[in-house]
Amino acid sequence: MTESAIQSEKSVAQLRCIGCGTVALADRFRCEHCRDLLEIIYPGWEERGPAGLDAASLKQLWLDRRVSANLVDQSGVWRFREILPEISQQQIITIREGNTPLYSLPHCAKSAGVQNLFAKHQGMNPTGSFKDTGMTVAASFARQAGYKWVACASTGNTSASMAAYAARGGLHSLVLIPDGKISWSKLSQSLDYGAITCQLKTDFDGCVRVLNEVVERMPVYLLNSVNPYRVEGQKTAAFELLEQLAWEPPDHIIVPGGNLANSSAIGKALREMKQLGFISRLPKISVIQAEGANPLVRTIRENGGEKLIPVQADTMATAIRIGNPASWKKALRVIRETGGAVEQVSEVEIAMAKAEIGAEGIGCEPASAVTLAGLKKLVKQGFVKPGEMVVLVLTGHALKDADFTLKFHRGDLFTGTPHEAESAVLKPLQRSPLVLEPSVDAVVELLRSAEN
Ligand code: F0G
């Protein structure tokens, strides 16, 4: 099929409320009737499939695009454009996001007690986090819809990503971040890419509250993860993962949980893949939170998922320092539908898992490491069996929070915190920098002692 024939077969996307099913206008975020979140659906798929193509033809088309010279095909998001809302190619803002590696983690596998462990490293995106895959779609939609301003509240990665895509697309951007509670590298990215960056004297949840009112008053397009176009872009990580696995689903996919959009996106992708005949069974999707930022864990354990229990969030994994997650209902549906689990992990468990992933020569930021820490618990509980294949979704690059890593290796990450005593177990993983005289003998001596 030619590209123009594919274009004319494109199925039209609709926004629909996840609660009452009411169809909404294309640039809304919540249902007018019940205020629940919206999701994108593709009514045409039932009869004709995406762009009128079947699963086998789409698999081939997407593979062929990997060697295309067209910039839009080179994006690991837009090469899957048949399963995304339609955006005209001239409006697409791409920094060649997606196409991220799938790594094996043999040492982490051993430490967790499984044989087959992989990491889908979304930190290998252009701004260093998974946010780019959603941002390319939502920022492109904003430009196509004629918005001049975009905005987000963020724990640092969304803001870095939004600032970059806005700059590339000629849009102005406004960032609201919690004062003092995000990593310096993330803050520096948003400044460098030219966003108006405001540090509010509150936490992430407070930033969201302020921004929600700002967008009511001003013609500013909201790029937080309640934005359904971001969820669509983030779906492509799962399509790409399955392509990398020759469309054979793993047994488990483990995702960090913050505002809970990414787990929702990956779940939506898998649901669609099954519906469209790409795969015949669903992997179990499990969500891991930090103990200090565990609203979903508490909600499921304490009231069976009836009503969200917000918490006052606190964790050194600042990316997921979120107490009132917007997409909790979507994530809950994914966990239930796939038979996944929720688990929480301590600060020390996160630090250990992060060091273990780093020692594989891969690395990630602390929020991503909750996946390995959570896996260890799920194996101990018997939920994950040693012979099952597991994929961890690593969401952010190691350089996103170099401060955390340095403090860890110098041994002062937990100094003066309630976790100090417990953190003694981290000693064997710490490698603090050695200060030596500038002499050959001193270095040779050191190498000899290291060999023994
Ligand atoms: N991992 C990283 C590195 C993140 O930055 C985030 C969220 C998550 C995991 C959680 O993903 O919210 O979809 O459940 N960061 C947001 C931000 C909130 O503003 O950058 P989620």
Side-chain angles (χ1 to χ4, degrees):
M1 206 185 245
T2 64
E3 192 66 37
S4 60
I6 292 171
Q7 286 292 337
S8 65
E9 279 282 346
K10 276 256 170 74
S11 33
V12 179
Q14 267 184 3
L15 259 63
R16 188 182 62 184
C17 172
I18 61 163
C20 69
T22 302
V23 172
L25 293 174
D27 63 352
R28 298 296 147 89
F29 306 103
R30 288 201 180 262
C31 175
E32 282 186 1
H33 298 292
C34 69
R35 305 303 298 157
D36 236 330
L37 291 184
L38 303 173
E39 67 175 354
I40 291 183
I41 55 158
Y42 303 88
W45 284 7
E46 267 173 35
E47 268 177 38
R48 292 176 285 115
L53 297 174
D54 63 14
S57 317
L58 285 168
K59 287 176 185 176
Q60 190 57 48
L61 176 68
W62 294 339
L63 262 190
D64 292 347
R65 286 183 182 149
R66 291 202 76 143
V67 290
S68 159
N70 175 355
L71 293 187
V72 170
D73 289 344
Q74 287 175 6
S75 158
V77 170
W78 294 103
R79 78 185 170 89
F80 297 102
R81 55 189 170 273
E82 286 69 25
I83 51 101
L84 298 175
E86 191 176 356
I87 307 272
S88 97
Q89 290 211 11
Q90 294 85 309
Q91 296 296 343
I92 287 179
I93 310 168
T94 172
I95 327 180
R96 260 62 91 218
E97 50 291 317
N99 291 326
T100 58
L102 181 67
Y103 297 121
S104 66
L105 294 178
H107 300 289
C108 295
K110 225 177 234 162
S111 143
V114 292
Q115 284 137 29
N116 248 328
L117 180 63
F118 293 86
K120 175 70 176 157
H121 207 325
Q122 292 300 94
M124 299 298 182
N125 267 293
T127 75
S129 85
F130 72 102
K131 306 288 183 180
D132 295 344
T133 55
M135 204 54 75
T136 182
V137 177
S140 302
F141 173 80
R143 184 157 81 161
Q144 177 163 281
Y147 283 92
K148 302 279 180 276
W149 277 89
V150 289
C152 71
S154 180
T155 55
N157 280 326
T158 298
S159 45
S161 181
M162 181 190 76
Y165 282 85
R168 299 295 298 172
L171 301 168
H172 301 289
S173 62
L174 170 74
V175 161
L176 303 188
I177 46 173
D179 185 27
K181 290 293 179 192
I182 77 164
S183 87
W184 288 111
S185 24
K186 297 175 188 176
L187 172 59
S188 72
Q189 284 182 288
S190 130
L191 299 174
D192 212 32
Y193 304 142
I196 294 186
T197 305
C198 309
Q199 294 176 277
L200 302 194
K201 292 187 169 66
T202 176
D203 56 9
F204 169 79
D205 302 298
C207 292
V208 170
R209 278 195 294 277
V210 172
L211 187 62
N212 283 344
E213 294 209 13
V214 171
V215 299
E216 293 282 313
R217 291 213 217 152
M218 305 291 290
V220 173
Y221 188 61
L222 181 69
L223 284 180
N224 267 35
S225 61
V226 293
N227 185 308
Y229 295 89
R230 279 194 47 205
V231 171
E232 291 307 288
Q234 285 174 212
K235 277 187 338 193
T236 58
F239 277 87
E240 191 174 88
L241 167 66
L242 267 292
E243 183 187 64
Q244 286 164 317
L245 296 173
W247 303 99
E248 190 51 51
D251 298 295
H252 296 271
I253 298 180
I254 305 192
V255 192
N259 220 9
L260 298 171
N262 202 31
S263 35
S264 312
I266 289 171
K268 184 171 193 281
L270 288 156
R271 187 184 304 138
E272 290 176 359
M273 275 185 250
K274 185 146 178 278
Q275 176 200 343
L276 296 170
F278 283 81
I279 54 174
S280 53
R281 67 181 170 84
L282 292 174
K284 294 188 170 78
I285 300 180
S286 296
V287 176
I288 314 296
Q289 297 195 301
E291 272 176 12
N294 61 352
L296 185 69
V297 175
R298 287 197 53 189
T299 298
I300 291 178
R301 291 190 183 162
E302 291 174 33
N303 67 26
E306 255 326 272
K307 190 172 181 298
L308 182 71
I309 302 176
V311 304
Q312 189 67 46
D314 195 17
T315 168
M316 283 186 198
T318 52
I320 51 172
R321 196 173 181 275
I322 295 171
N324 190 12
S327 298
W328 70 276
K329 278 191 194 164
K330 288 186 180 178
L332 185 66
R333 178 174 160 207
V334 165
I335 293 164
R336 291 203 166 134
E337 205 173 317
T338 66
V342 281
E343 195 42 88
Q344 57 183 355
V345 290
S346 74
E347 297 293 293
V348 171
E349 287 167 335
I350 295 171
M352 177 173 281
K354 183 181 133 26
E356 288 174 332
I357 295 167
E360 295 255 25
I362 304 291
C364 64
E365 67 165 286
S368 309
V370 301
T371 53
L372 177 61
L375 170 64
K376 291 182 192 176
K377 285 191 147 173
L378 296 179
V379 172
K380 281 207 185 93
Q381 293 159 9
F383 180 78
V384 173
K385 310 278 180 304
E388 289 182 321
M389 180 178 170
V390 183
V391 176
L392 308 179
V393 178
L394 301 184
T395 44
H397 197 279
L399 293 176
K400 283 284 192 175
D401 199 346
D403 244 18
F404 182 104
T405 311
L406 270 178
K407 283 189 185 146
F408 176 91
H409 286 292
R410 287 189 177 137
D412 49 16
L413 187 62
F414 291 104
T415 309
T417 74
H419 314 289
E420 196 163 346
E422 188 198 340
S423 72
V425 294
L426 302 173
K427 265 252 145 35
L429 288 160
Q430 287 162 355
R431 282 169 222 93
S432 75
L434 305 167
V435 182
L436 292 184
E437 291 305 320
S439 94
V440 176
D441 282 351
V443 178
V444 167
E445 181 71 13
L446 180 76
L447 278 179
R448 290 219 169 99
S449 66
E451 270 181 357
N452 296 328

